[in-house]
Amino acid sequence: MLNRRNFLSAAVGVAAVGALSACAKKDDSPAASTGADGKKAIVLGFSQVGSESGWRSANTDSVKASAKTAGVNLKFSDAQQKQENQISAIRSYITQKVDVIAFSPVVVTGWDAVLKEAKAAKIPVVLTDRSVETSDESLYVTLVGSDFTVEGERAAVLLEKVLATAGHKGAVKIAQLEGTTGAAPAIERAKGFKKVMDEKHAADWKIVASQTGDFTRAGGKQVMAAFLQAHPDINVVFAHNDDMAIGAIQSIEAAGKKPGKDILIVSIDGVKDGFVAMSEGKINAIAECNPLLGDQLMEVVKKVHAGETVERWIKTKEGDFTMDQAKAALPTRKY
Ligand code: GYE
């Protein structure tokens, strides 16, 4: 409980924050060094991948909002999909002696050196959203994020349903729009999808073209235009995210074909624009990947800072959606 004295010092703190935050700052960190309870606020350095997709914007908003609610002093930087930018952001957080570092690694490899520097500085590292490959598992505490292999499997199972609903007969010629090369969601979604395909559909499904669209709309559009030229018989698109599916839709329409009918489309994420395209009949099904990781991240950051043990992998709940559910679900979508 706040007694009057604490309340007054908290109020003075808030006023001071207000004055300080009036100065221009490079990041979004509140200048607060004390939380509402009068304790020193945890300083969290967060290196975001970039702003490549609707998923990423929702994830960034979630992290920022949850930090505020949790009274965590967030230092945020956007790496614009470049590993070297993430490495220098992490190095700068080490120099600033933040309490905890969190980051969403753009690709899986190449992190050991900087993670060792964080360990030497005794700053715990929490991975969010994407994982890393490392020879030393002690270099990070936990991962807060989805199981992308399962998402790939779910997308394949959704495609089975979509093909059945469409009454599709004959060969299934799939164009795969891959996420960023070397990124965990691109590697694992492809793997999960292929697993189901190889186990159950080796005879009738074939990936006839597969290339990265870097998780962006422009990438999806460009790659799909080239695919349609080289493989005019493509009848399915499996996109590793909604944004690339939306880009692909533009190229499919430009080629005079109907997305969702002539070419069936399954994607992953479930962002609002994906749901809009699905309610318009242009995306057939979406395996959801939840970007709202902020609250779970702040909870973990507090525990890690307090020296508590946390689970090695903290997952989120996700659902699957087909076209017939899109209209009803659209108004309740939070991102
Ligand atoms: O699916 C995609 C984003 O890592 C899960 O990154 C994330 C992926 C997400 O750009 O839209």
Side-chain angles (χ1 to χ4, degrees), residues 5-240:
R5 208 156 143 210
N6 284 343
F7 174 76
L8 276 181
S9 60
V12 169
V14 169
V17 171
L20 276 173
S21 56
C23 320
K25 295 189 97 242
K26 256 199 183 146
D27 57 47
D28 299 316
S29 60
S33 58
T34 50
D37 55 2
K39 279 193 203 147
K40 200 172 165 291
I42 298 171
V43 181
L44 170 66
F46 182 86
S47 167
Q48 180 60 290
V49 171
S51 42
E52 72 283 1
S53 67
W55 191 100
R56 191 62 56 198
S57 319
N59 179 250
T60 293
D61 291 350
S62 165
V63 170
K64 288 183 177 173
S66 299
K68 218 175 224 166
T69 314
V72 167
N73 183 352
L74 177 71
K75 296 185 176 290
F76 181 92
S77 62
D78 174 338
Q80 295 173 340
Q81 298 240 72
K82 292 202 173 70
Q83 183 170 34
E84 63 266 31
N85 292 346
Q86 286 202 295
I87 291 175
S88 45
I90 295 168
R91 288 218 166 103
S92 119
Y93 293 145
I94 296 171
T95 314
Q96 292 172 55
K97 298 191 168 59
V98 300
D99 296 311
V100 181
I101 291 172
F103 78 113
S104 181
V106 58
V107 291
V108 287
T109 54
W111 301 103
D112 278 18
V114 73
L115 291 180
K116 277 181 188 150
E117 292 167 30
K119 192 179 177 183
K122 297 196 170 53
I123 301 175
V125 174
V126 173
L127 302 180
T128 76
D129 161 33
R130 300 182 180 179
S131 57
V132 299
E133 268 170 33
T134 172
S135 52
D136 179 355
E137 294 292 319
S138 76
L139 294 179
Y140 71 92
V141 186
T142 182
L143 163 67
V144 181
S146 303
D147 189 330
F148 301 135
T149 309
V150 169
E151 286 175 355
E153 292 171 11
R154 284 164 46 207
V157 172
L158 280 171
L159 179 57
E160 291 174 342
K161 282 194 193 152
V162 165
L163 290 165
T165 309
H168 183 91
K169 303 251 164 358
V172 176
K173 297 186 178 170
I174 304 166
Q176 177 171 238
L177 297 173
E178 303 164 25
T180 303
T181 305
I187 298 168
E188 292 162 17
R189 286 171 183 170
K191 189 172 125 202
F193 186 88
K194 191 170 180 303
K195 179 170 173 263
V196 174
M197 185 172 93
D198 290 350
E199 279 170 11
K200 295 165 74 184
H201 304 287
D204 50 336
W205 293 16
K206 193 165 185 250
I207 295 179
V208 295
S210 187
Q211 208 178 296
T212 181
D214 215 10
F215 280 130
T216 65
R217 279 185 201 202
K221 184 178 176 188
Q222 197 189 329
V223 172
M224 192 63 205
F227 281 176
L228 288 165
Q229 291 268 328
H231 309 272
D233 53 347
I234 285 167
N235 49 25
V236 165
V237 166
F238 165 42
H240 287 186

